[in-house]
């Protein structure tokens, strides 16, 4: 179940990025005839990209969980999930140095909350 969910998240993030990149490129350039089309399209994935996950763990409400990209990779995007009854994701954002992603949340009526963190990293 976990693999399917992570794979679905990866595909959704990558598809969204590809759609945004395509839409931006299409609106920024004038229409071309087939003879003027570029010879080879570049891929939407950056070199050395990798989806990194920090599996769910219970932490005290409002405690940050931080996930770092491996080696010298930098974070391109990410997200987090709060799990539990009446759990609320309070924050999901990159680290100040751009090498990781932070997630935090809270759960009404409890002292702790389950937090999972995801990051898309690349060279």
């Amino acid at each position: 179940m976990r693999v399917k969910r992570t794979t679905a998240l990866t595909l959704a993030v990558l598809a969204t990025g590809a759609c945004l990149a395509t839409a931006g490129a299409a609106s920024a350039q004038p229409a071309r005839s087939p003879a003027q089309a570029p010879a080879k399209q570049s891929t939407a994935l950056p070199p050395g990209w990798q989806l990194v996950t920090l599996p769910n763990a219970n932490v005290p409400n409002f405690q940050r969980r931080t996930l770092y990209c491996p080696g010298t990779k930098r974070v391109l995007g990410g997200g987090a999930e709060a799990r539990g009854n009446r759990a609320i994701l309070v924050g999901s954002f990159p680290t100040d140095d751009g090498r990781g992603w932070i997630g935090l949340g809270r759960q009404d009526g409890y002292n702790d909350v389950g937090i999972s963190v995801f990051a898309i990293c690349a060279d």
Side-chain angles (χ1 to χ4, degrees):
M1 179 74 172
R2 192 81 170 119
V3 173
K4 288 181 184 177
R5 190 172 199 171
T6 301
T7 301
L9 174 65
T10 303
L11 294 175
V13 168
L14 293 175
T16 301
C19 289
L20 291 174
T22 303
S27 63
Q29 298 176 2
R32 294 181 177 173
S33 68
Q36 295 174 323
K40 184 177 180 181
Q41 296 287 333
S42 63
T43 62
L45 302 175
W49 78 275
Q50 178 180 358
L51 176 65
V52 183
T53 62
L54 188 59
N56 185 60
N58 284 341
V59 295
N61 286 335
F62 300 103
Q63 179 177 313
R64 293 179 176 199
R65 291 202 70 210
T66 305
L67 168 66
Y68 286 99
C69 293
T72 60
K73 293 180 187 276
R74 299 297 225 177
V75 71
L76 299 178
E81 178 182 21
R83 295 183 182 181
N85 296 327
R86 298 173 46 192
I88 299 167
L89 184 64
V90 175
S92 176
F93 47 90
T95 58
D96 289 339
D97 63 3
R99 294 194 51 244
W101 202 266
I102 299 169
L104 66 141
R106 68 180 175 85
Q107 188 173 188
D108 288 340
Y110 298 87
N111 293 327
D112 59 6
V113 61
I115 299 288
S116 304
V117 185
F118 310 90
I120 300 171
C121 303
D123 293 332

